[in-house]
């Protein structure tokens, strides 16, 4: 009986020493640090297709279904579109508040032809917003944030994109956006 008890105790001690809490290979070992919208716009080329975390102030939530929102950087002219993706949707209550989102950074490449088409639409008094490159779209949505958008702003943004295209060595203007994976709760 003593031998059985000794074997059981020895086995228990052996298992307790060898079964340490080691992290599984599937668990993330590095905590992702939230980047600002400005950082995403600056470093975007190197981050396309990678998972990033971004934090910013919500300036617009699409009114129809909340399928996307826009967050601003250090100024209102620096913004990033976030597609809700697996998040589900964004809410109007988030407007004006800060959010932190984890997702995959994507890029739309606007060519000279794209910009020419956008300018033609703007000249005709229509929305020139291909792939939301100029921010949120549609005259019906302008009432959401006070209706402060007009063709002058659209024209100004198109002129800025023309300048970026002229300076581009790639032959296109990159427009970054985030495919949302998770709306991160701050601790």
């Amino acid at each position: 009986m003593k031998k059985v008890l000794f074997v059981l105790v020895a086995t228990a001690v052996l298992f307790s020493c060898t079964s340490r809490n080691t992290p599984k290979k599937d668990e993330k070992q590095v905590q992702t640090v939230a980047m600002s919208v400005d950082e995403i716009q600056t470093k975007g080329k190197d981050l396309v297709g990678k998972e990033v975390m971004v934090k910013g102030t919500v300036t617009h939530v699409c009114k129809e279904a909340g399928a996307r929102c826009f967050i601003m950087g250090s100024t209102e002219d620096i913004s990033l579109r976030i597609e809700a993706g697996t998040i589900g949707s964004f809410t109007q209550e988030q407007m004006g508040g800060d959010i932190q989102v984890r997702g995959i950074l994507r890029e739309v490449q606007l060519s000279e032809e794209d910009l020419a088409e956008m300018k033609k639409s703007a000249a005709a008094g229509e929305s020139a917003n291909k792939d939301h490159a100029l921010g949120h779209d549609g005259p019906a949505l302008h009432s959401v944030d006070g209706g402060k958008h007009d063709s002058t702003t659209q024209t100004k943004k198109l002129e800025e994109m023309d300048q970026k295209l002229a300076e581009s060595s790639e032959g296109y203007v990159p427009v970054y956006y985030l495919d949302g994976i998770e709306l991160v709760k701050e601790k």
Side-chain angles (χ1 to χ4, degrees), residues 28-72:
K28 290 190 178 184
Q29 305 234 347
V30 179
Q31 181 69 23
T32 306
V33 177
M35 299 174 74
S36 70
V37 175
D38 296 52
E39 290 174 305
I40 294 285
Q41 296 296 351
T42 302
K43 301 174 183 177
K45 184 177 181 176
D46 298 328
L47 299 172
V48 171
K50 295 180 182 173
E51 187 175 301
V52 297
M53 184 133 25
V54 65
K55 182 177 181 177
T57 303
V58 179
T59 59
H60 179 81
V61 174
C62 288
K63 194 172 185 178
E64 300 283 322
R68 69 187 53 85
C69 76
F70 294 82
I71 60 175
M72 75 176 218

Side-chain angles (χ1 to χ4, degrees), residues 105-161:
L105 190 67
R106 305 285 185 208
E107 175 186 49
V108 174
Q109 298 176 352
L110 297 177
S111 67
E112 187 173 347
E113 293 80 23
D114 293 328
L115 291 177
E117 182 182 314
M118 292 168 73
K119 284 187 224 169
K120 185 177 176 182
S121 295
E126 300 168 2
S127 173
N129 204 1
K130 179 179 171 66
D131 294 320
H132 295 283
L134 304 177
H136 62 82
D137 193 23
L141 297 178
H142 289 182
S143 61
V144 173
D145 57 6
K148 304 231 185 262
H149 301 283
D150 57 23
S151 60
T152 305
T153 303
Q154 185 170 257
T155 303
K156 180 183 173 192
K157 288 183 178 184
L158 287 170
E159 287 171 359
E160 289 171 1
M161 287 188 157

